[in-house]
């Protein structure tokens, strides 16, 4: 292990590395520990290999999924508040290990320390939410048209859920699914990103401790691997639901395979998020929100601000303020004090950044700040602002490049800004900055933002767990986390009870 913090972080999480540098998770039936090739975990800050994690082969994958099915038969019959107790314990363990888990996120995917800690806090928050939810899985009673009949709608556990997650929220995305699915009575098998296997092992080990204390081993399990393993899950009839978070092309493939077997998929795919800044906006708010939204997490959030539509009157001041704010972003080791931007996740991500900047220039964009790959170990680039020509003549802005590149467009008015914002295929997050109540309401109306998330005087990035999270169009339509997103993890049953002596038929039909 050649990264300075790595030993300490792994030890503080009781992650055992054997003499050949391979890490194992705990549990036999909950962890695909045999057969597959070890997957390398690399530190994006130095490029060094941190450790290797054993991947799943087909036999160990089948064993884990079978165990999740067996556990489901029992788990679904426990009262939901009792299921919530296991989630409560998981939340306690996450609290106790918050600092180390946050540091591991920084180590493995390059998030700065406070964002790594924020991601762990998000897991804690969703556990708290799920504990409360375990007493609120409400159904409805409906007035029956038949005498002495009761008509009701109830929600029942669905089955084992496959959770396939992306690298950029290597723990939190799993927790949005797992904490809620558990209280709903489902079991979960997690396939994390192969770019963040250590994060998944750390969380898995804490899960096994929490579940063991509640005699619920097997309710949460882990299979480490890449796209092939994800494909097995998509095709697997043992999963009534596949929850997929990742890029649009991979999501399209997963959704197609799940649909072929008439399974259900929950899709959280790529975004291409915009902030609209009107002439009357508070410039200070807009600049802070855009800078965090565009350069935070090195531009590697699904909700990253990628496009800004600024009204012409404010455009010169916004440009200048953004360039100044970008100049103050310290780049470096994500665990070092004062650093605001860490590395990109892989050298391939650096290549995609470089290619997008070059294409933007070819298409008429002017780099106002950034645009450089840093000459140092690790995957470091500079956060970039590009003044763009008209949106319809700048196709690079229609794609999601997973890097800190912000395109700045000038617009005449709110209508043009909303039109351009909504023109792209993705529909995740959006924001408007204005002091006008009328403009804010227009942005939130049916003629306004077409995204799953729409904010006024708050940036595109940084959602709370209380709301349902997700987006429209090619972002996939899924909703996870808070509000009533839990319904995706249950099956709905309409039940009628006749407590009378007659058998009236609905719609007045007479028979016999
Ligand atoms: P990715 O699509 O490369 O990988 C995501 C996951 O899918 C990984 O676990 C990967 O191994 C697996 N996978 C890849 N191809 C697959 C296939 N053909 N079949 C089955 N599984 C497959 O994405 P990434 O680079 O890890 O993450 C970045 C992307 O995820 C961005 O597009 C980002 O916007 C998106 N994302 C979306 C949300 C959201 O909530 N909408 C959240 C986080 C990330």
């Amino acid at each position: 292990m050649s990264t300075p913090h790595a030993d300490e972080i792994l030890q503080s999480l009781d992650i055992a590395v054997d003499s050949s540098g391979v890490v194992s998770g705990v549990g036999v039936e909950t962890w695909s520990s045999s057969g597959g090739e070890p997957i390398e975990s690399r530190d994006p800050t130095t490029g060094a290999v941190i450790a290797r994690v054993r991947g799943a082969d087909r036999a160990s994958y089948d064993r884990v999924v079978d165990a999740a099915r067996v556990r489901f038969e029992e788990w679904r019959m426990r009262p939901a508040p009792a299921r919530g107790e296991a989630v409560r314990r998981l939340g306690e363990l996450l609290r106790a290990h918050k600092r180390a888990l946050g540091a591991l996120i920084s180590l493995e995917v390059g998030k700065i320390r406070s964002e790594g800690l924020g991601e762990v806090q998000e897991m804690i928050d969703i556990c708290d939410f799920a504990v409360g939810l375990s007493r609120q899985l409400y159904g409805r009673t409906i007035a029956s048209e038949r005498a002495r009949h009761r008509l009701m709608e109830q929600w029942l556990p669905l089955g084992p859920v496959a959770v396939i997650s992306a690298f950029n929220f290597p723990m939190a995305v799993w927790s949005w699914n797992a904490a809620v699915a558990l209280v709903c009575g489902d079991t979960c098998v997690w396939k994390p990103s192969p770019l963040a296997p250590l994060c998944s092992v750390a969380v898995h080990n804490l899960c096994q401790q929490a579940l063991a204390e509640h005699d619920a081993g097997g309710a949460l399990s882990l299979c480490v691997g890449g796209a092939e393993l994800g494909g097995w899950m998509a095709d697997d009839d043992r999963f009534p639901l596949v929850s997929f978070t990742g890029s649009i092309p991979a999501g399209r493939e997963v959704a197609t395979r799940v649909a072929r077997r008439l399974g259900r998929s929950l899709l959280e795919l790529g975004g291409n998020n915009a902030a609209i800044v009107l002439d009357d906006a508070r410039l200070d708010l807009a600049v802070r929100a855009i800078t965090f939204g565009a350069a935070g997490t090195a531009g590697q959030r699904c909700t990253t601000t990628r496009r800004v539509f600024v009204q012409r009157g404010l455009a010169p001041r916004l440009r200048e303020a953004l360039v100044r704010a970008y100049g103050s972003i310290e780049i470096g080791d994500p665990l070092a004090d004062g650093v605001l931007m860490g590395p990109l996740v892989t050298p391939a991500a650096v290549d995609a950044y470089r290619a997008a900047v070059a294409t933007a220039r070819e298409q008429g964009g002017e780099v106002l700040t950034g645009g450089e790959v840093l000459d140092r170990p690790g995957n470091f680039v500079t956060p970039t602002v590009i003044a763009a020509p008209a949106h319809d003549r700048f196709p690079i802005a229609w794609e999601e490049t997973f890097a800190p590149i912000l395109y700045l467009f000038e617009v005449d008015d709110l209508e043009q800004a909303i039109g351009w914002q909504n023109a792209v295929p993705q529909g995740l997050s959006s924001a408007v900055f204005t002091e006008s109540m009328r403009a804010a309401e227009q942005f939130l109306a049916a003629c306004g933002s077409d995204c799953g998330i729409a904010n006024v005087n708050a940036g595109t990035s940084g959602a709370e767990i209380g709301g349902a999270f997700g987006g429209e169009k090619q972002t996939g339509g899924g909703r996870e986390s808070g509000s009533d997103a839990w319904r995706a993890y249950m099956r709905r049953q309409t039940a009628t009870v006749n407590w009378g002596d007659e058998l009236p038929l609905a719609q007045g039909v007479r028979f016999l």
Side-chain angles (χ1 to χ4, degrees):
M1 236 177 284
S2 45
T3 303
H5 330 279
D7 277 324
E8 193 189 323
I9 295 170
L10 295 190
Q11 275 165 19
S12 62
L13 288 164
D14 281 335
I15 295 181
V17 186
D18 71 16
S19 54
S20 54
V22 176
V23 159
S24 285
V26 299
V28 177
E29 291 187 323
T30 54
W31 158 251
S32 55
S33 55
S34 62
E37 288 295 310
I39 291 171
E40 271 180 359
S41 168
R42 275 184 190 272
D43 177 353
T45 302
T46 61
V49 175
I50 307 166
R52 291 178 300 146
V53 177
R54 179 75 63 198
D57 68 357
R58 182 75 212 200
S60 61
Y61 162 78
D62 280 332
R63 194 186 65 237
V64 167
V65 180
D66 282 341
R69 271 194 70 86
V70 170
R71 172 54 71 186
F72 171 69
E73 304 289 321
E74 183 275 333
W75 186 247
R76 65 183 174 178
M77 292 306 294
R78 286 200 202 181
R83 299 192 293 248
E85 287 306 310
V87 177
R88 184 196 305 279
R89 181 66 186 129
L90 175 58
E92 287 169 359
L93 291 173
L94 293 172
R95 271 190 175 87
H97 293 85
K98 178 173 171 178
R99 196 169 168 77
L101 290 168
L104 181 59
I105 293 171
S106 301
L107 177 70
E108 202 171 31
V109 301
K111 279 187 194 188
I112 61 168
R113 192 184 286 278
S114 85
E115 290 193 57
L117 292 172
E119 175 159 356
V120 183
Q121 186 58 46
E122 205 169 332
M123 291 201 285
I124 294 166
D125 292 344
I126 196 71
C127 286
D128 287 353
F129 178 90
V131 174
L133 178 68
S134 70
R135 292 179 185 270
Q136 299 176 75
L137 300 170
Y138 301 129
R140 273 196 274 222
T141 303
I142 300 148
S144 172
E145 67 186 57
R146 287 170 282 178
R148 295 171 193 269
H149 279 57
R150 186 155 69 92
L151 182 58
M152 59 190 165
E153 192 172 77
Q154 54 171 353
W155 294 87
L156 299 166
L158 189 61
V161 175
V163 179
I164 301 175
S165 61
F167 83 84
N168 66 324
F169 275 87
M171 297 183 187
V173 161
W174 164 84
S175 71
W176 295 352
N177 285 277
V180 172
L182 265 193
V183 299
C184 289
D186 301 335
T187 55
C188 289
V189 181
W190 179 18
K191 191 207 88 59
S193 165
L195 300 178
L198 292 171
C199 284
S200 68
V201 170
V203 170
H204 170 81
N205 290 355
L206 294 177
C207 288
Q208 298 322 302
Q209 187 181 333
L211 293 172
E213 290 173 20
H214 289 267
D215 190 24
L220 296 173
S221 41
L222 174 67
C223 288
V224 176
E228 186 188 21
L229 173 58
W232 296 342
M233 293 175 128
D235 290 338
D236 197 331
D237 275 323
R238 292 172 292 182
F239 293 117
L241 174 67
V242 177
S243 174
F244 178 88
T245 301
S247 59
I248 290 171
R252 184 178 282 117
E253 158 118 20
V254 167
T256 307
R257 289 170 75 160
V258 175
R260 203 177 296 134
R261 63 175 172 89
L262 300 180
R264 213 193 271 181
S265 47
L266 200 175
L267 302 174
E268 298 281 351
L269 310 182
N272 188 354
N273 317 293
I276 296 171
V277 185
L278 298 182
D279 279 345
D280 69 349
R282 285 261 311 263
L283 189 65
D284 56 338
L285 289 189
V287 170
R288 280 187 62 206
I290 293 168
T291 307
F292 171 64
T297 332
Q300 299 172 112
R301 286 196 188 209
C302 52
T303 52
T304 289
T305 311
R306 305 203 181 278
R307 300 173 296 149
V308 165
F309 299 110
V310 56
Q311 207 169 0
R312 288 190 202 289
L314 197 64
R317 286 174 61 208
L318 182 71
R319 266 167 84 132
E320 191 190 319
L322 279 176
V323 170
R324 203 175 325 113
Y326 269 56
S328 68
I329 296 173
E330 192 172 329
I331 302 168
D333 178 347
L335 286 167
D337 288 344
V339 166
L340 291 181
M341 203 180 101
L344 293 182
V345 70
T346 54
V350 174
D351 291 344
Y353 164 90
R354 200 187 272 114
V357 171
T359 306
R361 284 194 165 110
E362 283 162 23
Q363 293 177 358
E366 180 199 347
V367 175
L368 301 179
T369 181
E372 290 150 22
V373 174
L374 296 186
D375 184 17
R376 55 173 283 179
N379 313 318
F380 289 94
V381 302
T382 52
T384 304
V385 180
I386 296 180
H391 192 257
D392 45 3
R393 287 190 283 112
F394 198 63
I396 187 67
W398 295 52
E399 301 168 15
E400 179 195 50
T401 302
F402 222 53
I405 304 173
L406 179 68
Y407 304 117
L408 197 55
F409 299 88
E410 289 188 20
V411 291
D412 296 327
D413 52 28
L414 179 60
E415 285 71 23
Q416 184 179 29
I418 291 173
W420 280 358
Q421 179 206 281
N422 292 349
V424 296
Q426 312 84 354
L428 182 53
S429 188
S430 58
V432 69
F433 289 85
T434 180
E435 293 295 291
S436 156
M437 183 266 275
R438 188 174 293 193
E441 289 293 338
Q442 185 175 340
F443 178 74
L444 297 177
C447 59
S449 168
D450 66 358
C451 294
I453 298 168
N455 299 332
V456 176
N457 293 332
T460 63
S461 209
E464 299 178 25
I465 62 100
F469 181 89
E472 300 300 329
K473 302 190 291 184
Q474 291 187 12
T475 301
R479 291 296 186 277
E480 286 178 359
S481 194
S483 185
D484 64 352
W486 59 270
R487 292 174 185 220
Y489 304 87
M490 302 198 85
R491 62 187 169 88
R492 182 197 307 241
Q493 188 172 68
T494 303
T496 308
V497 177
N498 174 7
W499 55 279
D501 297 323
E502 309 288 324
L503 190 72
L505 298 179
Q507 294 88 42
V509 171
R510 293 187 178 281
F511 198 82
L512 285 182

